[in-house]
Amino acid sequence: MPEAVLKKGLPKAPNQHLEPNRLNTENNSYQPEGKARTGLVARKVATQILTRVVDDARNLDALCDEVHGLSAYRALIAKDRAMIRAILMIALRRRVQIEAVLKKTMDRKPPKRARWLIHSLHIAITQILFMDIPDSAAVNLGVTAIAEDKRTTRFKNMANAVLRRVANEKEALLQSTANGKIFPDWLAKQIRSDYGKAKLDDISKMLLLESQLDVTTKNNPQEWVEKLDGQLLETGTIRISNKTPVSQLEGFSEGAWWVQDAAASIPATLLGDVSGKSVLDLCAAPGGKTAQIAARGGNVTALDVSAPRLKRLQENLDRLKLKANLVEADILEWQCPEPFDAALLDAPCSSTGTIRRHPDIMWTKTRDDIDALVKLQYQLILKAKEFVRPGGILVFSNCSLLKSEGENLLAQVMKECDDLKLLPLDKQEFPALSEFINGQGAIRTLPFHLPREEAGDGGLDGFFACRFEKR
Ligand SMILES: C[S@@+](CC[C@H](N)C(=O)[O-])C[C@H]1O[C@@H](n2cnc3c(N)ncnc32)[C@H](O)[C@@H]1O
């Protein structure tokens, strides 16, 4: 991908005032002052967050939360926080390539436990190779951050040599390491075995792009397409390229729409006409699907195990002026008062379908996590089916790319659950979804679906969904 394309749309880093003439020629070290010092602090915070994501499997959104996130991050001004997020999104998306660049430019391997050094180099290399800031600033700040930290100060000459080499040999390094690989090996192997090499490559290309803003409207999407200057997708979702903050877009405060990836809007539509029916939304928070069911006239009970997430769900419903009965409970322990006409189980999963928005997932999930999630999802299906009346509908969905959490799990349910009958989805019944209906009669979306002339305008989260009738 041409760098010009990549750099387009990235926030300009606020530290371009750095001048090489601030180099202290006596000891050859760089002495940042004023704004530059703030820029240095921001880069250190970026390194701190990268460390927490990669070494401690912490969630990037939680670390960068404006209220509950890392205190060092929250202490920064909005511009620096935006820059840190931009650096981290690229550092995580391009981690495999950055590793390859480091391998080519380091004369000797650093000690394995020198994690802070490695993470600091990743942040600096991200800026040099993929961001719109002068190389001299990126190199100087990267070296200074390493020199100033007592964990890494002894590596400052090595860091200096590596980062200068990366800056000097930028184009050649980008070319020689651009092999299209973005996933950790175990995940690449799994996706390749599920879909083959060509699709693995297509998925990887899409996941390097910035994600789009998709919204679902309470009603009348046509009217909102014009107001929001978006495009109406086949799924009924509006896609907006405008970079205005979400809360400042027309219709947000009056509750006319909510943010929801186009693929995530599909499972609730599989419930059919919900008007006047009792519908149980299991694993409901933060409530995208609850809102869809409520907006279409369903009497919805939204159940989730997490109190803070249910609080967010209630806030979202309040803004949208929609109603639901909220239940805080663990599905595995909940006693259902009376069976529902329909239930939607949007189960906890690897979330590998949302990597375009959440590249940290590639570095926080492990193969063991997937195995545990598959077992949990099966247990949740066994419980969920008990909450539906005979003849009622159960929709199962999740945002995983992996067949073990989708197609293979469905095959297991079909083999073992006599009281669930698969209702295959039909292209006539759901013409707008026909390209996503697989051989099982289930929905499978992948990140390269809904292609557009400009690659970045297309794509979908990876999702799986299927529909059963309770016998
Ligand atoms: C993928 S999210 C759901 C997204 C939601 N359906 C939406 O459309 O906005 C999964 C949710 O499952 C909840 N969850 C996980 N395990 C659960 C359990 N055993 N019982 C109830 N909720 C659970 C989590 O708290 C989380 O909110």
Side-chain angles (χ1 to χ4, degrees):
M1 172 173 325
E3 285 310 294
V5 173
L6 242 169
K7 290 183 171 185
K8 203 178 84 182
L10 286 172
K12 268 212 174 285
N15 298 302
Q16 287 149 26
H17 50 275
L18 282 176
E19 300 296 340
N21 63 8
R22 288 243 184 96
L23 271 177
N24 177 336
T25 44
E26 268 174 36
N27 62 7
N28 198 27
S29 72
Y30 174 70
Q31 302 293 325
E33 299 156 11
K35 280 189 191 164
R37 167 75 36 204
T38 319
L40 188 63
V41 171
R43 279 156 182 83
K44 285 183 182 171
V45 175
T47 305
Q48 207 178 339
I49 296 178
L50 187 64
T51 306
R52 301 293 278 273
V53 170
V54 173
D55 294 351
D56 306 336
R58 292 281 305 274
N59 174 294
L60 178 64
D61 278 350
L63 291 165
C64 296
D65 187 272
E66 309 272 304
V67 183
H68 305 289
L70 206 71
S71 54
Y73 173 81
R74 284 186 283 121
L76 295 169
I77 58 166
K79 211 167 155 194
D80 282 344
R81 292 201 304 268
M83 184 191 69
I84 289 177
R85 275 205 71 108
I87 297 174
L88 289 166
M89 291 297 280
I90 301 173
L92 292 163
R93 276 189 191 128
R94 301 229 164 227
R95 188 166 173 77
V96 172
Q97 190 175 8
I98 293 168
E99 292 276 9
V101 167
L102 256 183
K103 242 191 193 155
K104 278 183 184 278
T105 49
M106 278 180 135
D107 287 340
R108 63 190 159 88
K109 262 188 158 179
K112 257 209 159 121
R113 57 179 199 289
R115 303 299 299 161
W116 187 261
L117 169 70
I118 303 289
H119 296 312
S120 305
L121 289 170
H122 271 249
I123 295 293
I125 292 174
T126 300
Q127 292 198 291
I128 297 169
L129 293 183
F130 304 112
M131 297 189 80
D132 194 10
I133 76 164
D135 291 347
S136 56
V139 171
N140 287 334
L141 281 171
V143 174
T144 308
I146 286 166
E148 281 191 3
D149 193 299
K150 62 177 185 301
R151 288 167 288 190
T152 50
T153 188
R154 68 186 191 281
F155 296 111
K156 67 174 185 259
N157 292 336
M158 183 258 253
N160 189 37
V162 168
L163 296 180
R164 279 183 203 287
R165 192 167 162 203
V166 173
N168 292 337
E169 298 171 22
K170 191 190 268 193
E171 294 312 322
L173 283 168
L174 278 168
Q175 265 185 24
S176 63
T177 55
N179 58 9
K181 290 187 180 164
I182 67 154
F183 293 108
D185 287 344
W186 71 269
L187 187 52
K189 209 167 141 198
Q190 192 56 61
I191 297 173
R192 186 179 174 146
S193 127
D194 281 352
Y195 302 104
K197 163 93 171 79
K199 285 188 177 162
L200 166 65
D201 290 347
D202 290 344
I203 291 171
S204 304
K205 273 187 208 138
M206 289 308 291
L207 299 185
L208 284 176
L209 305 174
E210 262 190 85
S211 54
Q212 295 288 344
L213 177 65
D214 285 354
V215 306
T216 303
T217 55
K218 230 159 52 174
N219 44 47
N220 209 348
Q222 200 61 56
E223 177 196 335
W224 284 99
V225 164
E226 282 160 32
K227 286 188 179 166
L228 293 166
D229 190 23
Q231 326 161 32
L232 188 59
L233 303 181
E234 290 86 324
T235 55
T237 293
I238 300 176
R239 181 158 287 180
I240 304 168
S241 359
N242 188 336
K243 297 281 177 219
T244 309
V246 171
S247 60
Q248 288 168 29
L249 287 169
E250 189 175 350
F252 178 82
S253 42
E254 69 189 86
W257 49 261
W258 61 97
V259 174
Q260 185 177 44
D261 183 86
S265 73
I266 294 174
T269 64
L270 306 185
L271 292 166
D273 181 7
V274 289
S275 178
K277 292 189 181 157
S278 62
V279 183
L280 177 61
D281 185 8
L282 292 161
C283 299
K289 298 170 188 72
T290 306
Q292 278 178 285
I293 300 164
R296 285 162 42 227
N299 297 322
V300 51
T301 296
L303 181 146
D304 202 283
V305 73
S306 157
R309 287 175 67 89
L310 270 178
K311 187 167 169 269
R312 264 182 68 204
L313 183 149
Q314 184 60 62
E315 287 161 5
N316 288 335
L317 290 179
D318 290 347
R319 180 178 63 80
L320 296 166
K321 300 177 195 74
L322 293 170
K323 291 213 173 327
N325 311 312
L326 268 51
V327 177
E328 183 192 328
D330 184 330
I331 294 171
L332 298 175
E333 286 162 17
W334 190 54
Q335 302 292 322
C336 177
E338 63 179 313
F340 289 77
D341 293 329
L344 168 58
L345 171 61
D346 187 34
C349 68
S350 64
S351 307
T352 38
T354 67
I355 285 172
R356 188 166 162 191
R357 286 174 216 287
H358 304 289
D360 50 320
I361 286 166
M362 291 191 281
W363 310 107
T364 55
K365 292 283 190 295
T366 65
R367 196 200 316 259
D368 288 348
D369 292 334
I370 309 295
D371 295 343
L373 282 162
V374 171
K375 283 193 188 118
L376 173 65
Q377 289 173 38
Y378 185 68
Q379 294 305 317
L380 292 173
I381 293 174
L382 295 186
K383 288 297 284 188
K385 70 186 172 65
E386 300 310 321
F387 305 152
V388 180
R389 67 164 169 77
I393 300 291
L394 171 65
V395 169
F396 169 77
S397 65
N398 64 40
C399 56
S400 169
L401 282 178
L402 304 177
K403 289 193 174 176
S404 54
E405 295 176 83
E407 289 81 346
N408 304 350
L409 188 58
L410 169 57
Q412 185 189 353
V413 171
M414 293 322 301
K415 217 164 99 193
E416 295 174 11
C417 300
D418 294 340
D419 53 352
L420 282 181
K421 175 179 154 199
L422 181 70
L423 293 182
L425 305 167
D426 183 64
K427 296 188 179 182
Q428 254 101 54
E429 189 186 357
F430 294 101
L433 304 180
S434 56
E435 68 172 299
F436 314 129
I437 297 177
N438 69 9
Q440 291 174 307
I443 295 286
R444 162 57 67 200
T445 62
L446 291 170
F448 56 78
H449 283 150
L450 284 193
R452 292 290 182 267
E453 212 173 291
E454 189 73 48
D457 293 343
L460 276 182
D461 276 358
F463 244 87
F464 178 82
C466 59
R467 179 181 61 172
F468 304 98
E469 182 184 293
K470 174 76 181 289
R471 287 202 166 98

